[in-house]
Amino acid sequence: MHLPGYPLVLAALAKWRGYTFEAAAALNVACFAITVLSAFVIARSFFRVGRSLLAAALVSVLPPYPGYLAVAYPEHLTAAALLVLVAMALCVRGRLGAFLLGFLLGVSLLFR
């Protein structure tokens, strides 16, 4: 069973840009970039810049990610959503932060 999040995002992308393989691949590349940036933000909350850059570099060369950027799999969107959620949990405080975290957690559950 597949959850509806990724097909909904692809449908919105198709409505906006017309469905092409390149548009789906561009979505995966954008999600991959968000994943690497979120890994940096998470590592930065614990380590200095050098180690944070190393963490982001390691995420960027993980075998499942760069090899599948041209395939329409939901894993890129799922990883991006979850890592943004963790990064926000480390950076955002207060009621608004709690609301945003809850909202993003609910949204991330639509993907995996």
Side-chain angles (χ1 to χ4, degrees):
M1 179 178 96
H2 292 284
L3 296 173
Y6 192 67
L8 287 174
V9 171
L10 283 179
L13 181 66
K15 180 116 174 124
W16 178 53
R17 300 285 297 171
Y19 187 74
T20 62
F21 180 74
E22 290 80 16
L27 172 67
N28 283 346
V29 169
C31 290
F32 180 65
I34 291 169
T35 300
V36 172
L37 181 63
S38 297
F40 173 79
V41 169
I42 292 167
R44 186 68 183 106
S45 67
F46 295 107
F47 304 111
R48 293 186 180 171
V49 173
R51 290 185 180 181
S52 302
L53 287 173
L54 177 64
L58 288 174
V59 168
S60 72
V61 296
L62 280 175
Y65 291 111
Y68 290 107
L69 285 176
V71 181
Y73 285 148
E75 280 76 15
H76 296 287
L77 191 57
T78 303
L82 290 176
L83 283 180
V84 166
L85 178 69
V86 172
M88 283 189 63
L90 294 171
C91 298
V92 179
R93 303 281 185 248
R95 288 185 182 177
L96 178 61
F99 172 78
L100 288 174
L101 289 175
F103 178 76
L104 280 177
L105 178 61
V107 168
S108 70
L109 292 176
L110 290 173
F111 297 105
R112 259 303 159 198

